[in-house]
Amino acid sequence: MFEKILYNNRKNNLPEIDVSPTQGKFLSMLAKIKGAKNILEIGTLGGYSTIWLAQALPEDGSLITLEFNPAHVKVAQENIKMAGVEDKVTIIEGSALDTLPTLHHKQAEGFDFIFIDADKPNNPHYIKWVLQLASPGALIIADNVVRDGKVVNEDSEDANIQGIREFIDILSSDTRIDSVGIQTVGLKGYDGFIISRVK
């Protein structure tokens, strides 16, 4: 089924930047270990990671995923239906910085698992909203935080690197959260996740 989803993404000319199958399984396992019931994802693309996470939810669980690109939303809707998890997933179309403030009303009890995998320059803005939307004990996972080791380059002018470095600085200084970086090597090359737990 996951191969069909990736094929549908390629057929619709989506960029091939999904998490790898191993990373998808890793995210699913983390959500199950956490016992997540209310998941927030920032960056849907074609819904590949969305589906991995939705499959980890209990029967009464729900997932909200935010996606800016209408073409990506259309493909994600097809894939989510193909996977049979459409009853658990809500896609909100639009800029995440516009839609995140609206989630206070949609998810009053807070999110217990949050996956950030969107445009890296905005990671510092995303984490500020996410910390307001997270429930105590929530897990926050951020992808693509190593980038072949380039994130250690203080002089980089790459907006992605600058965004990640500022994101890490926020996590390091905010007393509401504990974080650790995990480096990964595999189909996606040399990169990594940051795993954070809200106190």
Side-chain angles (χ1 to χ4, degrees), residues 22-137:
T22 304
Q23 291 169 336
K25 179 69 173 180
F26 176 66
L27 290 170
S28 181
M29 287 291 292
L30 287 177
K32 287 179 181 178
I33 291 167
K34 169 60 185 168
K37 291 184 65 177
N38 302 303
I39 296 177
L40 171 64
E41 178 182 53
I42 303 176
T44 314
L45 193 60
Y48 185 76
S49 57
T50 314
I51 293 163
W52 274 109
L53 289 169
Q55 289 186 341
L57 285 167
E59 284 300 316
D60 59 345
S62 65
L63 186 155
I64 293 176
T65 182
L66 312 181
E67 175 56 48
F68 175 75
N69 190 313
H72 296 177
V73 170
K74 180 178 179 296
V75 176
Q77 288 170 333
E78 294 172 0
N79 289 337
I80 288 164
K81 186 174 182 179
M82 187 192 312
V85 293
E86 66 270 28
D87 291 342
K88 294 182 179 180
V89 177
T90 300
I91 304 174
I92 299 179
E93 183 180 327
S95 166
L97 292 180
D98 292 332
T99 56
L100 280 166
T102 71
L103 297 184
H104 279 292
H105 308 293
K106 294 180 182 293
Q107 192 65 41
E109 61 194 275
F111 294 95
D112 53 18
F113 192 101
I114 299 164
F115 181 45
I116 303 173
D117 191 14
D119 52 320
K120 310 312 171 190
N122 274 322
N123 269 18
H125 303 295
Y126 296 149
I127 191 61
K128 291 174 183 176
W129 276 109
V130 160
L131 285 170
Q132 295 182 49
L133 294 166
S135 59

